[in-house]
Amino acid sequence: MKAPLVLALFSLALAARAEVKLPAVISDHMVLQAGKPVTIWGWADAGEEITVEFSGQKKTTKADAKGSWQVKLDPLSPQKEAGELRIQTKIIKDVLVGEVWLGSGQSNMEMRIKDKLHGLVDNADAEIAAAKHPEIRVFVHDAPFAIYELPVPADEPAADRPGSWRVCSPQTVGDFSAMGYFFARDLLAEIKQPIGVITSSVGGTPIEAWTSRSAQEAVPELKPLLADWAKRLDGFVPDQEEKKFLTAKAAWLKVRAEALKAKQPAPKAPLPFKNLQVMKPGGLFASMIAPLMPYTIRGVIWYQGERNAAGPFTGLYGLQLKTLIADWRVRWADEFHFAYVQLPAVKGVQKLPVDLNGWGAAVRDGMRRTLSVPHTSMAITMDLRGEENGHPPNKTDYARRLSTVVLHDVYQKAIPLPTGPLLKSATVEGDKMVLTFDYATGLKARNGSLEGFAIAGEDRKFVWANAKIDGERVIVWHGKVPTPKTVCYAWSGNPKGNLVNGAGIPASPFTTD
């Protein structure tokens, strides 16, 4: 063999060995997190030496026996000027350094600015035209999908998932998560740093799909829920179930057409097909969260809970949310911040003092109680519309509530009242219950007299209560409850409560139990 040919073949072999594989999230236009050690990872031949260079730093490591490798860059300062991340012969271009947030949950986080499935956000065309913010970058998974089209998640965590970073512009923003984009825009306006949002959400999915199976199995209180899922999944074959649904739907359409023609009441439509395999415990964690680990982030923004807002296990939501937060933090090896949207008012207006089966009531209270977990924030949204539509179009308002608590809690912005009144204590004084609140400056009724409070004794027979404001306290009583035991506030799907603070932000629903 001639020497030039040998040299060429050797060079090709060397190049093939030097080629490293990177996860999709490490790619052109990415944003690296400022102020923390930054994890860069990928795959190569076992034992191969890997060199990573960025912003004057150079780190080396070797791929392990399975070919996996990982390095950590020293904490970086915010960087608006585009840089290059070099990994062996690969060059990742147009890299900024700033603040990175993971946006996850179900349809209200998934809902795009121009979304055929969930509807348009308010002023969508004007928002798109004004979206000239190249400092905002959003990582979008390939091929947006509805829950019915999503491939069945694997039981084992996936190593990667296709997607790409997109630079914010009028040409790209329409496909961005509306919540993610408006949140990023709010942060950019205040902290003047590049903002990256990694979106990973699927409409119609429960929280148990987003938490690893092993983390849930370690919580005794969740065993009944997991057992219920095992029953529901037993013998469930998505293709067969979808075929049954389509057959039933076709029959219903025929009967409906005949009924309308005869001017008779139309029958109820069959229940829609739900691919339970997509919603199974741990499934979306394995397929959509695991591939993003351990990308360095400042925190998570979470908008989910609608799927868990009714049914026999709704009272577990607070525990489920705490389990998810702990699970993700352990797997990321980072106590990152976790900010979430409390469910807004939905369904018909409250009629009973306490609607024990009220849509979302227990989920909202579980979210409130999760604030006991360090480094968490909650956006209260009871007043932001949404009762007439499960996908509120005014996502700018929702994002502003979320960004406000984050700017206060994470970025130390001087915001006197970043959120609404949160129950602090409840004490019995004679025949009255005295409630104190955090974030209670300027406590008042939004309109008219104070309402939304219910009170009960040991018998737990709730009645509408009298309530009055006394400085930063609320005193609650009823003549027929001489020995109060429990007070509930705004405990319904669409509650009557009108308690707000001086910033006009409503109090979170609660029970003193």
Side-chain angles (χ1 to χ4, degrees):
M1 188 178 290
K2 295 183 179 179
L5 181 57
V6 172
L7 183 60
L9 291 173
F10 176 76
S11 298
L12 285 172
L14 186 62
R17 179 174 175 77
E19 185 72 15
V20 297
K21 183 182 177 183
L22 301 174
V25 74
I26 297 179
S27 54
D28 291 349
H29 316 302
M30 68 190 296
V31 180
L32 297 176
Q33 177 61 49
K36 287 183 173 184
V38 173
T39 304
I40 305 295
W41 78 100
W43 305 271
D45 291 336
E48 184 176 348
E49 185 170 289
I50 306 296
T51 301
V52 177
E53 299 177 77
F54 182 76
S55 193
Q57 295 188 40
K58 184 176 182 179
K59 303 291 182 179
T60 59
T61 189
K62 283 189 176 182
D64 64 19
K66 295 183 179 180
S68 298
W69 58 267
Q70 182 183 115
V71 301
K72 285 187 179 292
L73 298 174
D74 298 332
L76 299 160
S77 298
Q79 182 176 311
K80 294 182 180 180
E81 296 296 322
E84 291 185 345
L85 173 65
R86 294 176 176 267
I87 304 169
Q88 303 295 77
T89 59
K90 288 184 177 292
I91 300 176
I92 310 302
K93 299 178 180 179
D94 189 29
V95 179
L96 305 183
V97 182
E99 295 296 296
V100 183
W101 289 81
L102 168 61
S104 190
Q106 54 182 101
S107 56
N108 275 307
M109 182 61 76
E110 179 187 36
M111 181 178 173
R112 291 168 286 167
I113 293 176
K114 207 159 189 175
D115 196 319
K116 294 179 181 179
L117 181 62
H118 304 117
L120 296 178
V121 301
D122 288 344
N123 307 310
D125 289 339
E127 295 287 6
I128 289 171
K132 300 173 183 177
H133 303 293
E135 309 98 319
I136 294 175
R137 312 289 177 82
V138 175
F139 181 81
V140 180
H141 286 297
D142 283 356
F145 38 68
I147 184 171
Y148 315 111
E149 301 166 352
L150 184 68
V152 175
D155 291 323
E156 296 301 319
D160 197 12
R161 182 172 185 84
S164 60
W165 286 91
R166 303 181 189 180
V167 179
C168 178
S169 73
Q171 290 72 43
T172 61
V173 76
D175 284 335
F176 290 2
S177 155
M179 277 296 295
Y181 166 66
F182 293 131
F183 174 83
R185 190 178 67 179
D186 289 348
L187 293 193
L188 176 63
E190 292 293 329
I191 67 175
K192 314 297 184 187
Q193 295 182 26
I195 308 294
V197 176
I198 300 170
T199 53
S200 188
S201 50
V202 179
T205 52
I207 190 170
E208 54 265 31
W210 295 97
T211 311
S212 74
R213 178 87 191 195
S214 59
Q216 296 178 81
E217 289 174 341
V219 180
E221 295 89 339
L222 298 182
K223 287 185 178 180
L225 180 145
L226 296 177
D228 181 71
W229 267 105
K231 288 182 181 178
R232 295 166 68 189
L233 290 168
D234 186 29
F236 180 87
V237 180
D239 290 346
Q240 293 178 8
E241 296 299 322
E242 184 176 21
K243 186 176 180 180
K244 289 179 185 177
F245 164 71
L246 293 174
T247 300
K249 182 179 178 181
W252 169 75
L253 287 171
K254 183 178 179 180
V255 174
R256 179 177 180 271
E258 292 171 351
L260 292 175
K261 186 176 180 179
K263 296 184 179 180
Q264 297 294 322
K268 290 183 67 174
L271 293 174
F273 166 69
K274 297 175 183 176
N275 189 344
L276 298 181
Q277 289 287 355
V278 173
M279 298 187 280
K280 67 184 179 182
L284 292 175
F285 167 83
S287 61
M288 296 193 67
I289 297 300
L292 302 173
M293 297 176 179
Y295 198 97
T296 307
I297 58 176
R298 178 64 67 195
V300 173
I301 52 174
W302 176 258
Y303 193 158
Q304 192 276 337
E306 297 92 338
R307 175 58 68 182
N308 297 88
F313 302 108
T314 185
L316 291 174
Y317 191 85
L319 177 61
Q320 289 180 284
L321 185 56
K322 291 177 181 179
T323 301
L324 180 145
I325 294 169
D327 183 32
W328 288 15
R329 285 176 172 174
V330 165
R331 292 172 183 278
W332 250 279
D334 185 5
E335 290 289 307
F336 51 64
H337 203 83
F338 197 99
Y340 48 95
V341 177
Q342 190 183 50
L343 292 184
V346 176
K347 308 285 185 181
V349 176
Q350 181 176 5
K351 295 179 181 179
L352 300 173
V354 170
D355 185 354
L356 294 176
N357 297 314
W359 185 95
V363 168
R364 293 189 196 104
D365 196 51
M367 290 176 162
R368 178 186 67 85
R369 294 172 186 270
T370 300
L371 290 172
S372 63
V373 176
H375 311 302
T376 55
S377 302
M378 182 179 76
I380 301 170
T381 63
M382 297 299 294
D383 60 329
L384 293 184
R385 295 167 43 205
E387 62 270 17
E388 65 287 309
N389 185 338
H391 301 105
N394 55 324
K395 285 296 190 286
T396 52
D397 298 328
Y398 282 75
R400 189 170 298 112
R401 282 281 168 85
L402 189 59
S403 65
T404 297
V405 291
V406 166
L407 285 167
H408 176 272
D409 295 351
V410 178
Y411 299 104
Q412 290 80 54
K413 294 293 181 179
I415 304 171
L417 293 170
T419 191
L422 295 167
L423 181 67
K424 183 178 181 181
S425 68
T427 56
V428 176
E429 295 184 6
D431 62 350
K432 297 178 175 63
M433 185 83 81
V434 179
L435 311 174
T436 65
F437 298 84
D438 291 319
Y439 306 106
T441 303
L443 211 58
K444 61 183 179 181
R446 181 185 296 280
N447 46 55
S449 59
L450 203 56
E451 61 180 357
F453 290 87
I455 194 167
E458 290 283 357
D459 60 4
R460 293 191 62 79
K461 293 181 179 179
F462 286 94
V463 295
W464 290 114
N466 302 299
K468 70 175 183 179
I469 295 169
D470 178 27
E472 296 187 358
R473 308 188 306 167
V474 174
I475 301 173
V476 184
W477 76 99
H478 191 282
K480 293 184 179 180
V481 185
T483 308
K485 177 70 174 177
T486 304
V487 167
C488 290
Y489 172 73
W491 200 270
S492 176
N494 185 3
K496 286 186 173 182
N498 63 348
L499 180 65
V500 301
N501 59 19
I505 304 176
S508 169
F510 63 83
T511 174
T512 60
D513 280 352

